[in-house]
């Protein structure tokens, strides 16, 4: 009898697994954009060639992030408005770059304090509109990346990195996008242009800081500070992937947070395996052949990032795979035989998304409990309206997007 019921239950579980996988790898045909990817490749090749020529590839990542973040934060409109807003964004990013690389080698307590302050400010930026909230989220992610890269540079004696040079690389990347928009503006007859990434919300209307919004910002800041403390306080190898994963996984909707967490984990696994296979190529090479293979793999990494840009809103899991493979290849080229790095990054990504989903689950349960009518409420007094972070805080999509829709970081 028990075995019969077990056999009856197997197809149900199988259908649930298949249904969940279909959600994770669900494709949005409208989200595929190859012209956008080619534009990114054109822009990314400029710093790549420049740093090849001067021989300072350790600053390439800052330049690429500067160009990419400026592109994503571009509000569109008249050129004067675009240039001024991107310039302000670039200056804030330059300050965060200086802070991240400046304190990357200091005591971990300063890193925790800085991560808390930056994440809290980024969460409260929603009061200036959803577009600026997304821009703040981009800067927040870059700041954690800068902390991690600076921390790793501090523990590698053969790689020299100067904070001012990293700031200059970031600013140069953002300035490159401003120059690209200026050329486009001239070619288009000096006409106003729409926002280049239409899927990113463009709403800049002011919003009231309600209690749920503030609580959500504080919870995010505490979680990121806690994961930064674990990563740097315990001196975990590549531990900064944990706060990045936790930050991206924390969404106002628990269902959306869970789906994004699974997609990010699956994508990171695929990207880590792809990067490990690519890094097998230069493992036993030396001299001129190693140099040529390294240059070739840097081009491959840029092409992978280009594919990530093309499929950003096509499927989040595949996008994560392409970005992870490209970034891991660029980061690990100086030490291509360190294959344990991919395993560590996957582990900390798993821990980060688990922490993010767990915190959102606990926050949802707490919100439901506090929203219940307290015992002994006087008759005639209206029940307290249910308020949660999901109701009052706009998701990065700007319109309460359901899981799987565009608008994720």
């Amino acid at each position: 009898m028990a075995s019969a019921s077990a056999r009856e239950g197997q197809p149900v579980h199988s259908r649930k697994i298949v249904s969940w996988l279909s959600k994770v790898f669900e494709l949005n045909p409208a989200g595929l954009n190859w012209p956008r990817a080619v534009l990114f490749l054109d822009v990314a090749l400029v710093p790549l060639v420049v740093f090849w020529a001067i021989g300072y590839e350790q600053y390439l990542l800052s330049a690429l992030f500067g160009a990419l973040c400026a592109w994503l934060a571009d509000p569109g409109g008249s050129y004067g408005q675009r240039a001024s807003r991107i310039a302000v964004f670039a200056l804030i990013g330059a300050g965060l770059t200086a802070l991240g690389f400046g304190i990357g080698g200091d005591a971990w307590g300063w890193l925790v304090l800085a991560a808390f302050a930056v994440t809290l400010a980024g969460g409260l930026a929603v009061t200036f509109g959803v577009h600026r909230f997304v821009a703040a989220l981009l800067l927040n992610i870059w700041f954690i990346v800068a902390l991690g890269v600076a921390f790793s540079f501090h523990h590698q004696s053969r790689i020299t990195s100067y904070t001012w040079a990293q700031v200059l690389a970031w600013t140069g990347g953002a300035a490159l996008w401003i120059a690209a928009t200026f050329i486009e503006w001239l070619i288009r007859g000096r006409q106003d242009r729409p926002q280049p990434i239409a899927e990113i919300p463009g709403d800049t209307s002011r919003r009231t800081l309600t209690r749920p919004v503030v609580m959500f910002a504080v919870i995010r800041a505490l979680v990121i500070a806690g994961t930064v403390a674990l990563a740097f306080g315990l001196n975990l190898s590549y531990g900064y992937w944990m706060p990045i994963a936790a930050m991206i996984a924390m969404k106002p909707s628990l269902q959306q947070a869970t789906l994004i967490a699974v997609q990010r984990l699956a994508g990171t696994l695929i990207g880590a395996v792809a990067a490990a296979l690519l890094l097998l190529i230069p493992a036993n090479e030396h001299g001129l052949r190693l140099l040529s293979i390294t240059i070739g793999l840097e081009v491959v990494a840029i092409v992978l990032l280009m594919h990530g840009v093309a499929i950003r809103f096509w499927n989040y899991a595949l996008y994560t795979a392409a970005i992870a493979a490209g970034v891991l290849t660029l980061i690990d080229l100086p030490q291509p035989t360190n294959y344990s790095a991919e395993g560590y990054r996957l582990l900390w990504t798993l821990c980060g998304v688990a922490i993010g989903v767990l915190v959102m689950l606990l926050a949802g349960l707490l919100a439901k409990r506090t929203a219940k009518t307290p015992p002994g409420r006087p008759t005639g007094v209206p029940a307290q309206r249910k308020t949660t972070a999901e109701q009052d805080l706009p998701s990065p999509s700007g319109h309460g997007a359901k899981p799987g829709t565009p608008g994720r970081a």
Side-chain angles (χ1 to χ4, degrees), residues 241 268 271-272 275 279 323-333 342 345:
W241 281 63
T268 303
L279 294 172
I323 296 298
V327 171
L328 290 176
T329 301
L330 286 175
I331 292 177
D332 289 341
L333 273 178
E342 274 67 38
R345 292 187 180 101

Side-chain angles (χ1 to χ4, degrees), residues 58-123:
Q58 63 267 37
Y59 303 113
L60 176 61
L61 193 63
S62 293
L64 290 177
F65 262 95
L68 180 60
C69 290
W71 181 18
L72 294 173
D74 189 343
S78 64
Y79 181 73
Q81 172 185 319
R82 295 175 69 186
S84 61
R85 291 187 177 181
I86 298 174
V88 172
F89 176 85
L91 288 176
I92 297 174
L96 292 178
T97 304
L99 178 62
F101 281 96
I103 68 174
D106 294 345
W108 63 271
W110 292 110
L111 277 62
V112 172
L113 182 61
F116 176 82
V118 171
T119 306
L120 180 60

Side-chain angles (χ1 to χ4, degrees), residues 27 32 60 74 77 90 93 116 132 134 154 226 234 249-250 263 285 297 331 348 369 372 400:
L27 302 180
L32 197 60
L60 176 61
D74 189 343
F116 176 82
R132 294 188 177 95
V134 175
H154 183 73
L234 299 179
M250 292 185 67
Q263 287 179 320
E285 302 295 341
L297 288 179
I331 292 177
W348 305 139
R369 183 176 181 180
K372 291 180 179 179

Side-chain angles (χ1 to χ4, degrees), residues 41-60:
L41 181 61
D42 293 340
V43 173
L45 284 176
V46 175
L48 180 64
V49 173
V50 168
F51 288 112
W52 274 350
I54 64 178
Y56 291 98
E57 287 85 354
Q58 63 267 37
Y59 303 113
L60 176 61

Side-chain angles (χ1 to χ4, degrees), residues 58-385:
Q58 63 267 37
Y59 303 113
L60 176 61
L61 193 63
S62 293
L64 290 177
F65 262 95
L68 180 60
C69 290
W71 181 18
L72 294 173
D74 189 343
S78 64
Y79 181 73
Q81 172 185 319
R82 295 175 69 186
S84 61
R85 291 187 177 181
I86 298 174
V88 172
F89 176 85
L91 288 176
I92 297 174
L96 292 178
T97 304
L99 178 62
F101 281 96
I103 68 174
D106 294 345
W108 63 271
W110 292 110
L111 277 62
V112 172
L113 182 61
F116 176 82
V118 171
T119 306
L120 180 60
L124 296 178
V126 72
T127 188
F128 299 106
V130 185
H131 183 81
R132 294 188 177 95
F133 172 77
V134 175
L137 179 62
L138 293 171
L139 291 176
N140 201 171
I141 294 173
W142 163 242
F143 177 70
I144 301 299
V145 172
L147 283 179
V149 174
F151 185 81
S152 61
F153 282 163
H154 183 73
H155 290 80
Q156 293 180 11
S157 57
R158 60 193 185 90
I159 298 179
T160 302
S161 173
Y162 297 101
T163 299
W164 65 266
Q166 295 287 358
V167 174
L168 186 61
W170 161 271
T171 308
L176 179 62
W177 178 250
I178 296 177
T181 58
F182 179 72
I183 295 173
E184 180 197 29
W185 179 66
L186 291 178
I187 294 175
R188 299 281 185 174
R190 303 181 181 181
Q191 297 178 354
D192 294 354
R193 299 298 301 160
Q195 185 175 293
I197 311 295
E199 294 87 349
I200 292 180
D203 180 22
T204 56
S205 58
R206 294 294 185 95
R207 295 172 181 267
T208 304
L209 278 181
T210 60
R211 181 180 178 183
V213 172
V214 175
M215 288 302 299
F216 183 73
V218 171
I219 289 173
R220 285 178 73 250
L222 289 174
V223 171
I224 300 308
T227 50
V228 167
L230 291 174
F232 297 100
L234 299 179
N235 197 19
L236 302 177
S237 298
Y238 308 100
Y240 63 93
W241 281 63
M242 189 190 307
I244 293 175
M247 183 184 304
I248 294 176
M250 292 185 67
K251 302 297 180 186
S253 166
L254 177 62
Q255 184 182 6
Q256 186 184 17
T258 304
L259 180 59
I260 291 176
V262 175
Q263 287 179 320
R264 185 162 186 83
L265 184 61
T268 303
L269 176 60
I270 297 172
V273 172
L277 293 176
L278 287 174
L279 294 172
L280 285 173
I281 301 175
N284 298 316
E285 302 295 341
H286 302 280
L288 185 60
R289 182 172 174 80
L290 175 61
L291 178 61
S292 61
I293 291 176
T294 300
I295 293 176
L297 288 179
E298 287 179 345
V299 174
V300 170
I302 296 296
V303 172
L304 285 170
L305 295 178
M306 180 198 77
H307 281 75
V309 171
I311 64 177
R312 169 62 185 83
F313 299 101
W314 189 52
N315 179 265
Y316 187 70
L318 298 179
Y319 156 78
T320 304
I323 296 298
V327 171
L328 290 176
T329 301
L330 286 175
I331 292 177
D332 289 341
L333 273 178
Q335 42 182 359
T337 57
N338 186 12
Y339 302 117
S340 63
E342 274 67 38
Y344 280 124
R345 292 187 180 101
L346 181 61
L347 174 62
W348 305 139
T349 298
L350 174 61
C351 293
V353 297
I355 291 173
V357 173
L358 179 61
V359 169
M360 294 314 301
L361 174 61
L362 295 177
L365 293 176
L366 180 61
K368 290 180 180 179
R369 183 176 181 180
T370 55
K372 291 180 179 179
T373 304
R377 177 174 55 87
T379 305
V381 178
Q384 182 181 2
R385 182 179 62 88

